[in-house]
Amino acid sequence: MTTQRTLAIIKPDAVTKGVVGKIITRIERAALAIIAAKLVHMTLAEARGFYIVHRERPFYESLCAFMTQGPCLPMVLAGDDAIRKWRDLMGATDPAKAAAGTIRKDFAASIEANAVHGSDAPETAAFEIPYFFSSFELWPR
């Protein structure tokens, strides 16, 4: 197995629903360590920068607007095969297609309001983690 770091975000819809603790419990039960976390309320410019990879897609502007509607909780998760574990825990982007027991199946309302975000590859994590966290905020250093 490969020890990895990945970015996870508990999105504004899940923060508003009050399910942050339930999601964190699932993360911990999956043997993923939370090595950094902070509550942020992104501006539209910050959301656009974070989701820049999707700028040509039709959902880009609505996704960015959604991510600015309230606070979210970005976290850095670490562990063996962390990217795959977190993505399995999240479930399919569309909660209607997500497997039973996944975060999105249990807490998401739609493809856009889908409760959580996660890096999909090591290269993505390498961009996403420093978007929210400096090296001084990550444990262990």
Side-chain angles (χ1 to χ4, degrees), residues 53-133:
V53 67
H54 297 304
R55 71 184 169 278
E56 301 301 323
R57 297 196 174 169
F59 59 82
Y60 175 69
E61 287 299 330
S62 64
L63 174 61
C64 292
F66 165 74
M67 289 300 293
T68 64
Q69 73 182 17
C72 61
L73 184 72
M75 300 175 285
V76 179
L77 308 181
D80 291 333
D81 208 13
I83 293 170
R84 184 198 53 77
K85 278 186 183 177
W86 176 234
R87 294 197 64 80
D88 289 348
L89 198 57
M90 289 191 307
T93 303
D94 182 348
K97 297 177 182 174
T102 62
I103 292 168
R104 288 177 172 153
K105 186 65 162 187
D106 294 343
F107 303 119
S110 68
I111 291 175
E112 191 168 89
N114 64 5
V116 288
H117 166 88
S119 305
D120 61 2
E123 299 78 20
T124 309
F127 167 79
E128 293 180 344
I129 291 170
Y131 198 86
F132 289 102
F133 298 97

Side-chain angles (χ1 to χ4, degrees), residues 3 17 25 40 44 50 52 60 67 71 78 83 102 107-108 117 126:
T3 299
K17 285 180 188 174
T25 296
V40 301
L44 187 56
F50 181 72
I52 194 72
Y60 175 69
M67 289 300 293
I83 293 170
T102 62
F107 303 119
H117 166 88

